[in-house]
Amino acid sequence: MTAARIIETNEGIQSEVTAEIFDEFAKGMRDKGWNGVAEMMASGINGGDILEIGPGPGYVGLELAKQVNPRSFTGCEISPAMIRIAEKNAREYGIPARYVQGNGMNMPFEDDTFDGVVSNGSLHEWENPVQVFNEIYRVLRMGGRYCITDMRRDIGFLKKYMIYFSTKPKEIRPGFLSSLYASYTQEEMQKLLNSSRLKGGVVVKDFMGLSITGEKH
Ligand SMILES: C[S@@+](CC[C@H](N)C(=O)[O-])C[C@H]1O[C@@H](n2cnc3c(N)ncnc32)[C@H](O)[C@@H]1O
């Protein structure tokens, strides 16, 4: 049986030091290609105005933008420390991304603003995922698509410790475990999705995690 969820945080990654360490970790994940970008592209997000929720240091969205060349790229991030790093990384990529401080549960955007909404590795930190799903519905244009990827809590003992010991830098390892314990199973997530305005979306589980995809009808 899978152990119950342990809530991690509802404030995101706020400390400058943790944000710097996370930047190093996320860069390593980008270099390995373990970042949800393939799932986002496969879900049909292929340009237009794109929003990323919880971009952290920004690599996932910047890699996606490099592939799909959006008309505009916006990140909604709760942590000012992460925004500073993402802005620096976007300058290095040469991508005119705009990062806005905000909470996915109440986003500072008009209705029907985006063609695609993506997020990786942030869902398990959202205090109320259904509220974020409803916000995604609100800010998407009709026919717009979303793809949310995250880890899943039921990967099992072996994979957990395989990932734990290969996670670098080492300082991130306790954070990996607390994030894993805060993440969802496919069944839990499908239930939450079905109780939101994104009902009709699909939750798929893979080796490491979950991806949630669909379209605004
Ligand atoms: C584990 S990091 C993942 C960062 C990045 N997406 C990646 O895959 O490398 C989660 C990010 O989501 C942000 N976050 C957490 N809760 C949020 C919320 N409610 N609204 C916006 N951002 C949030 C955190 O501050 C952090 O930067």
Side-chain angles (χ1 to χ4, degrees):
M1 213 185 85
T2 309
R5 263 193 91 223
I6 303 172
I7 293 168
E8 190 179 31
T9 167
N10 58 12
E11 297 174 342
I13 296 176
Q14 293 288 349
S15 125
E16 297 278 346
V17 177
T18 314
E20 293 286 346
I21 295 170
F22 192 87
D23 180 49
E24 192 183 333
F25 162 73
K27 200 186 290 177
M29 296 297 273
R30 173 201 63 185
D31 295 344
K32 290 184 190 134
W34 294 352
N35 54 12
V37 173
E39 287 86 345
M40 290 166 188
M41 290 177 63
S43 78
I45 291 173
N46 55 14
D49 298 309
I50 297 183
L51 168 69
E52 181 177 17
I53 303 175
Y59 298 110
V60 174
L62 293 169
E63 286 293 316
L64 177 70
K66 209 166 83 178
Q67 300 284 337
V68 305
N69 195 22
R71 183 166 45 232
S72 72
F73 187 89
T74 305
C76 176
E77 169 57 59
I78 205 167
S79 156
M82 282 298 195
I83 290 182
R84 281 191 283 280
I85 296 176
E87 285 172 341
K88 174 176 110 357
N89 289 335
R91 278 195 297 277
E92 285 173 15
Y93 270 72
I95 291 176
R98 174 176 75 113
Y99 295 99
V100 177
Q101 191 190 354
N103 190 325
M105 295 197 300
N106 181 18
M107 293 194 275
F109 308 114
E110 299 288 316
D111 298 358
D112 309 315
T113 301
F114 299 102
D115 302 294
V117 177
V118 297
S119 182
N120 178 66
S122 185
L123 164 69
H124 64 270
E125 294 181 17
W126 301 344
E127 190 180 347
N128 183 341
V130 172
Q131 204 173 320
V132 180
F133 295 156
N134 291 341
E135 276 292 270
I136 292 174
Y137 182 90
R138 183 184 67 76
V139 301
L140 269 176
R141 298 189 176 116
M142 210 43 89
R145 306 195 66 88
Y146 55 90
C147 177
I148 303 159
T149 52
D150 201 4
M151 48 178 95
R152 62 179 170 87
R153 202 169 73 251
D154 54 351
I155 52 171
F157 183 83
L158 212 63
K159 281 186 215 167
K160 175 167 96 174
Y161 283 103
M162 209 176 81
I163 299 165
Y164 178 85
F165 287 111
S166 64
T167 296
K168 289 190 184 111
K170 274 187 183 167
E171 296 94 311
I172 228 72
R173 290 179 186 173
F176 159 71
L177 286 183
S178 58
S179 296
L180 184 70
Y181 299 150
S183 66
Y184 296 85
T185 65
Q186 181 187 26
E187 295 72 23
E188 289 167 347
M189 193 34 66
Q190 190 69 64
K191 218 179 262 176
L192 290 171
L193 194 70
N194 290 348
S195 69
S196 80
R197 298 187 79 189
L198 296 183
K199 65 173 169 288
V202 178
V203 184
V204 173
K205 82 175 177 190
D206 62 22
F207 184 76
M208 270 275 294
L210 298 174
S211 65
I212 305 164
T213 56
E215 180 180 328
K216 173 170 173 175
H217 300 292

